[in-house]
Amino acid sequence: MKTIGVAMVGYQFMGRTHSNAWRQVGKFFDLPFEPVLKVLCGRREEEVKKAAHSLGWQAYSTSWHEVVSRKDIDVVDICTPGDAHMPVALAAAEAKKVVFCEKPLANTLAEAEKMLAAVKRAGVLHMLCHNYRRVPAIALAKQLIDEGRIGTIRHYRGVYLQDWIVDPDFPRVWRLDKSRAGSGALGDLVSHAVDVARYLVGEIAEVTGMTRTFITERPLPGSTKRAPVDVDDAALSLVRFENGAVGSIEGSRLAPGRKNYLRFEINGTRGSLAWDLERMNDLELYVEEGPNSGFRQVVVTDAKHPYISAWWPPGHIIGYEHSFTHTVRDLLGSIETQKLASPNFEDGVKNQRVLDAIERSAASGRWEKSSAGPA
């Protein structure tokens, strides 16, 4: 089997999930290439050396410039904070590598557009890791919608709630620093809800939004000195879809008891669908079937369900990490066929246009167009 050389820039939370996906994908799926984990890159030599060993990489580096130019690298996987997405992606595209990037694509719309222009100009394949599209229950929801099972969609309600920064003494880590993260709950959480909405319902035409920072200063990491927080703790929006559906989208990192609560409900003319990440193998389905109609729970673990045939017998649930393995599998399929998989950088720009419109609306107090047409 042909091999494909992979380099990863970034090694913490997302670096660990991506590393696991690259290691596992060939053990469960028939692949066109054998991925070889060539080199892991990070800023702190001792930490990246340790991570490379524990995560299964052949080598490590502290220079992403050197890594993206290596001739034995075919795919550059970007798992850094948002402020490094654009420079690494631009260099990888110029070096003619396949570019695989964590979400959101960039910290700003302008940066996202530059990244899309770069991969188009270079003629390289690109993919954005909105991994929830590869959760089997969401993929099944997409099938049911496309088959017309719930009719014409009228409503989308999406929330993504967490509580990891409820404590006002939680430190001002990079996700609470606008220069590194671009935004708070908006880019971190709402970007996922927006991508799911676009995937299942369609393009978003305009929005009205609100953002709020409740805890305005926090201690610096490893210090008692406090510094301002310049990103949002919560972001909310009403949305109008191009197809006439309406919806609401909310993200908050200050929702006590909600650890990783991504949920949507979709209502159509003939039925409804609902799903919750904290019960990710269950899809709630309602279709009009007479006086005894009611919501039923579909446990998405059967071999006929998307991606599941590679894993365990029916009823043996899968987890969060599998969505990344499915994403990597589809990226490798894209490389084999030389056709773009979705979501890609075009989707990233469209998502960023919605996030940008929410920010503009929060500032203006008006409905703002998201311009989510062709990227």
Side-chain angles (χ1 to χ4, degrees):
M1 179 184 291
K2 293 182 180 178
T3 61
I4 191 162
V6 182
M8 182 180 293
V9 186
Y11 57 87
Q12 294 187 345
F13 176 27
M14 282 298 105
R16 292 177 67 196
T17 61
H18 284 225
S19 295
N20 180 69
W22 286 111
R23 289 197 314 269
Q24 296 297 326
V25 65
K27 295 176 172 59
F28 292 91
F29 290 93
D30 293 329
L31 300 178
F33 308 101
E34 178 187 356
V36 179
L37 280 61
K38 291 285 188 177
V39 57
L40 182 66
C41 185
R43 293 178 298 164
R44 300 178 179 89
E45 183 169 4
E46 285 304 312
E47 292 184 22
V48 72
K49 178 181 179 181
K50 180 180 178 181
H53 175 74
S54 66
L55 297 175
W57 294 85
Q58 292 181 355
Y60 70 91
S61 174
T62 57
S63 171
W64 63 260
H65 298 86
E66 179 269 331
V67 164
V68 301
S69 64
R70 282 176 45 162
K71 294 186 182 301
D72 62 341
I73 298 302
D74 302 294
V75 179
V76 175
D77 187 347
I78 305 170
C79 294
T80 65
D83 60 323
H85 285 191
M86 185 178 74
V88 178
L90 296 187
E94 186 175 356
K96 300 296 184 180
K97 313 299 184 184
V98 176
V99 190
F100 182 41
C101 188
E102 251 303 314
K103 68 82 204 171
L105 184 58
N107 279 356
T108 68
L109 175 57
E111 289 179 357
E113 290 174 337
K114 287 180 182 177
M115 292 169 70
L116 176 59
V119 293
K120 284 185 171 181
R121 183 169 57 250
V124 298
L125 293 172
H126 45 93
M127 191 173 182
L128 179 63
C129 188
H130 269 294
N131 57 296
Y132 296 129
R133 291 196 186 196
R134 264 74 186 184
V135 171
I138 291 185
L140 178 60
K142 174 67 170 173
Q143 288 184 12
L144 295 172
I145 289 168
D146 290 348
E147 291 169 3
R149 294 287 298 279
I150 67 168
T152 300
I153 294 175
R154 289 173 170 165
H155 296 285
Y156 171 85
R157 300 175 195 87
V159 299
Y160 202 161
L161 309 177
Q162 297 178 347
D163 69 355
W164 59 279
I165 60 170
V166 166
D167 183 354
D169 290 325
F170 185 88
R172 187 180 182 269
V173 295
W174 73 265
R175 286 192 181 277
L176 303 173
D177 179 351
K178 188 176 181 66
S179 67
R180 301 204 65 198
S183 63
L186 183 68
D188 187 19
L189 304 181
V190 173
S191 64
H192 273 306
V194 166
D195 188 71
V196 170
R198 290 186 50 252
Y199 176 56
L200 295 178
V201 181
E203 299 298 347
I204 294 172
E206 57 182 345
V207 306
T208 182
M210 174 195 309
T211 61
R212 179 74 181 270
T213 304
F214 295 101
I215 301 173
T216 57
E217 64 174 24
R218 292 181 180 271
L220 293 170
S223 171
T224 58
K225 182 179 179 181
R226 302 181 76 87
V229 173
D230 54 1
V231 299
D232 58 284
D233 288 328
L236 305 88
S237 179
L238 300 178
V239 303
R240 292 176 177 141
F241 292 87
E242 290 182 357
N243 59 15
V246 297
S248 62
I249 296 174
E250 175 185 0
S252 176
R253 302 191 292 206
L254 287 174
R258 295 303 189 188
K259 304 304 178 184
N260 199 33
Y261 187 76
L262 171 60
R263 179 178 171 84
F264 66 76
E265 180 170 321
I266 299 173
N267 307 124
T269 54
R270 297 179 55 209
S272 298
L273 290 163
W275 176 83
D276 167 9
L277 177 57
E278 292 182 351
R279 297 168 55 227
M280 63 173 286
N281 292 275
D282 300 341
L283 180 66
E284 298 174 60
L285 170 65
Y286 173 86
V287 290
E288 292 285 358
E289 294 176 334
N292 296 319
S293 296
F295 270 98
R296 61 188 177 96
Q297 177 182 301
V298 181
V299 181
V300 188
T301 60
D302 193 276
K304 67 184 178 183
H305 294 140
Y307 302 103
I308 291 294
S309 62
W311 299 105
W312 321 121
H316 293 68
I317 61 175
I318 64 170
Y320 169 78
E321 70 275 16
H322 294 79
S323 63
F324 292 90
T325 307
H326 302 159
T327 302
V328 167
R329 191 211 75 162
D330 289 350
L331 172 63
L332 292 170
S334 169
I335 296 171
E336 179 186 31
T337 62
Q338 289 295 293
K339 295 181 180 179
L340 280 177
S342 293
N344 51 55
F345 284 18
E346 292 190 6
D347 293 284
V349 169
K350 291 176 181 179
N351 290 342
Q352 202 77 43
R353 286 173 179 168
V354 177
L355 302 182
D356 181 74
I358 293 172
E359 281 194 303
R360 286 187 282 112
S361 176
S364 71
R366 300 188 301 267
W367 283 87
E368 298 283 353
K369 295 187 181 301
S370 65
S371 303

